[in-house]
Amino acid sequence: MSKVAIITGGGSGLGQSTALRLAEEGVRIAVVDIDEEGGNETVDRVKNLGVDAIFVKADVSKSDEVKKYVDQTVEAFGSIDYFFNNAGISGSGANFLDTDINEIEKIVGINLLGALYGVRYVAEVMVKNGGGSIVNTSSSAGVIGQDTVVTYSATKHALVGLTKSMVAEYAKDGLRVNAIAPGPTETPMVKTYFDANPKMKESAESGIPQKRLGTPEEVAELVTFLLTSSAQYINGEVIRIDGGFTNTK
Ligand SMILES: NC(=O)c1ccc[n+]([C@@H]2O[C@H](COP(=O)([O-])OP(=O)(O)OC[C@H]3O[C@@H](n4cnc5c(N)ncnc54)[C@H](O)[C@@H]3O)[C@@H](O)[C@H]2O)c1
């Protein structure tokens, strides 16, 4: 039987491109997103590749909705082999001391609690079934400090701890857990920001040794490698995919 993946934030950007890339491998996909339109678009595109997919509308910051997307996936497909724990938001870009407490709570709720709840419920199914593979989406800001993204950076560093500690506890049960740390990548989120601030795009690109942003397809390729059996002995790693950006910091 073909493998099954859950992808959170699967309605856009890195989640959508990874859904399409995994579908090329015949992997059935549960697309989880708060955005119904984007989620359904991904499902349609996966189905057009001849692969089965479902959309589950869920807010990852709510534990009962996380349990719901896990239960619905098992109900639809019978198991969970791969989990791309990817939904996230970036924040307003304000300096930390000017940041509203509501914004801090929102970023922590989605990026950190959402990721913890996801691993909590998905890994439970995987361990019961003899194992599985998880990729958590950290960030460049999860491996170095950066200004104007203090809360975001704190949550993305936390995902590194989640990744390594899950391996310490559950590798013996057949779990592989890795993280990716992308630099600025041309997803809709980043594109909208740079279209409105072209100078910021130039300055971001000039700070990257390869002098360009990453593409969602490049990230999807890495995630597919890490999730599938190609990376059987890679566990607890944080793989940077940033054109050399954090290497020069
Ligand atoms: N694009 C980049 O440059 C970049 C760099 C490093 C890390 N990341 C991380 O990659 C991940 C994906 O980002 P992206 O660039 O593809 O952004 P994106 O905005 O294109 O996609 C994110 C998706 O997550 C969904 N989402 C947001 N809040 C949600 C919630 N509460 N519940 C369920 N779904 C929710 C959105 O609806 C959207 O479809 C994020 O965790 C982000 O922090 C992105």
Side-chain angles (χ1 to χ4, degrees):
M1 203 56 176
S2 55
K3 302 284 189 189
V4 176
I6 294 179
I7 300 178
T8 66
S12 177
L14 306 185
Q16 184 174 74
S17 54
T18 300
L20 298 173
R21 180 64 188 83
L22 281 172
E24 284 174 17
E25 304 295 316
V27 177
R28 292 171 290 164
I29 318 275
V31 176
V32 175
D33 209 293
I34 201 165
D35 170 17
E36 216 161 334
E37 199 183 322
N40 280 320
E41 182 195 300
T42 304
V43 167
D44 289 345
R45 291 180 66 182
V46 167
K47 284 186 170 168
N48 283 340
L49 295 170
V51 176
D52 204 1
I54 57 165
F55 172 60
V56 185
K57 181 173 178 170
D59 178 346
V60 299
S61 69
K62 302 198 166 117
S63 63
D64 56 332
E65 297 195 22
V66 171
K67 178 144 185 10
K68 179 188 78 175
Y69 77 62
V70 171
D71 288 347
Q72 284 191 18
T73 304
V74 173
E75 210 170 285
F77 296 134
S79 68
I80 307 164
D81 302 287
Y82 308 142
F83 179 37
F84 185 29
N85 197 10
N86 167 72
I89 58 167
S90 55
S92 65
N95 290 316
F96 188 59
L97 301 188
D98 299 324
T99 304
D100 197 86
I101 293 297
N102 290 335
E103 180 179 322
I104 295 174
E105 286 179 355
K106 189 167 180 202
I107 296 172
V108 171
I110 295 172
N111 293 10
L112 178 53
L113 291 178
L116 283 165
Y117 298 151
V119 169
R120 168 65 182 80
Y121 286 118
V122 171
E124 191 169 42
V125 175
M126 287 178 165
V127 166
K128 209 188 296 164
N129 291 345
S133 178
I134 296 172
V135 170
N136 297 314
T137 302
S138 179
S139 167
S140 295
V143 292
I144 61 168
Q146 283 185 287
D147 64 349
T148 73
V149 289
V150 169
T151 309
Y152 178 82
S153 174
T155 63
K156 293 299 186 180
H157 274 79
L159 295 197
V160 173
L162 167 65
T163 300
K164 293 180 176 176
S165 298
M166 279 301 292
V167 171
E169 203 161 331
Y170 293 105
K172 65 175 183 353
D173 299 300
L175 267 199
R176 286 194 305 108
V177 187
N178 292 291
I180 57 163
T185 308
E186 286 202 50
T187 64
M189 178 172 86
V190 166
K191 247 176 148 191
T192 311
Y193 179 72
F194 282 144
D195 284 352
N197 306 278
K199 286 226 163 83
M200 293 299 287
K201 184 175 185 198
E202 277 166 41
S203 96
E205 284 173 336
S206 70
I208 298 169
Q210 283 186 228
K211 303 296 175 208
R212 66 168 176 86
L213 305 184
T215 69
E217 290 75 22
E218 287 169 321
V219 175
E221 200 60 40
L222 172 63
V223 176
T224 301
F225 170 74
L226 289 172
L227 283 177
T228 58
S229 56
S230 308
Q232 207 52 252
Y233 204 51
I234 299 178
N235 217 346
E237 286 297 328
V238 182
I239 314 275
R240 296 183 275 178
I241 175 161
D242 63 7
F245 172 56
T246 53
N247 188 47
T248 54
K249 300 288 163 197

